[in-house]
Amino acid sequence: RDQTQADEVLQKLQHKVNKMKLILALAVGATAFGGFGKSAAPAPARGGGNQVAQGGQTVTNIQVPKIFTTAFGDPGRLQERAARAEAKKAEAEAQLIPTPARFAFAFGRPDILAERRAERLEKWQWSDEFLAKARPDKGNYGQGDVYDDGLTKLERTQIEQGREAYLTGGAKLRYKRLTGQI
């Protein structure tokens, strides 16, 4: 008997749980698809007011600033906008630090290229100081002009010692000329 009572109570409880699950599922479904019959605010009637809604053709009373409207067909406004943009650009450029000519991109800029070329050529000028540092001519003080013949010190010593077999090119020609073979 106790077992049958417990089964009945359990069955009633299970039935209540199933009912609650069903009600909960219906409530969730209803809210997902627009609620329980509550309607939103009624849509305003078209054409009743001055405001344009959803692409209508009625005149609006909202004043849009001129800056946000198009300037097509109004050359004065186009020129005014271009002048404002130029002024803004000039103001921004005035705040920039100018790039030195040394670091500027010089392709197609003959003025910068000429300046760089002059600077480079100035470095290559052969001043007396440069020549004194470049060719001190060791041991040749007051001997007169010394001509650079393009021979190395080794080739000169081989010419002095008469070693023709070790000479090539200009050094061999020089040796033959000095010995009278040519």
Side-chain angles (χ1 to χ4, degrees):
R1 183 168 183 216
D2 288 333
Q3 182 64 26
T4 56
Q5 275 186 340
D7 287 339
E8 282 180 26
V9 170
L10 184 62
Q11 205 173 22
K12 285 182 183 179
L13 192 60
Q14 187 68 35
H15 183 68
K16 284 184 180 180
V17 168
N18 286 341
K19 268 189 184 177
M20 302 238 340
K21 284 182 184 178
L22 178 66
I23 291 172
L24 183 63
L26 289 174
V28 167
T31 55
F33 292 107
F36 293 104
K38 291 182 184 175
S39 63
R46 296 192 92 205
N50 284 338
Q51 187 155 350
V52 176
Q54 297 180 359
Q57 297 297 321
T58 58
V59 180
T60 179
N61 58 2
I62 296 175
Q63 295 298 320
V64 177
K66 236 181 173 184
I67 195 158
F68 295 123
T69 60
T70 61
F72 296 119
D74 190 357
R77 282 184 57 203
L78 289 174
Q79 290 171 351
E80 178 186 322
R81 285 182 180 181
R84 264 198 320 248
E86 285 295 321
K88 190 174 182 181
K89 182 180 175 185
E91 180 184 333
E93 285 180 356
Q95 294 176 355
L96 294 176
I97 299 170
T99 305
R102 168 179 232 125
F103 303 113
F105 181 69
F107 186 72
R109 298 277 310 270
D111 54 337
I112 295 177
L113 290 173
E115 184 180 326
R116 288 183 186 173
R117 185 170 190 264
E119 183 181 328
R120 198 169 51 246
L121 290 176
E122 184 180 308
K123 289 179 186 177
W124 294 343
Q125 293 298 319
W126 286 23
S127 64
D128 293 335
E129 180 186 355
F130 171 75
L131 290 175
K133 287 180 181 175
R135 285 293 310 266
D137 292 325
K138 298 177 186 173
N140 180 23
Y141 298 104
Q143 280 185 358
D145 292 336
V146 177
Y147 297 98
D148 188 9
D149 54 6
L151 301 178
T152 64
K153 190 173 186 180
L154 176 64
E155 289 172 332
R156 286 194 188 99
T157 56
Q158 289 172 344
I159 289 172
E160 288 171 8
Q161 295 171 359
R163 297 181 174 181
E164 183 182 356
Y166 296 105
L167 299 172
T168 60
K172 190 170 238 177
L173 287 172
R174 175 84 184 269
Y175 175 75
K176 288 184 177 186
R177 178 131 191 226
L178 288 174
T179 58
Q181 297 176 18
I182 298 179

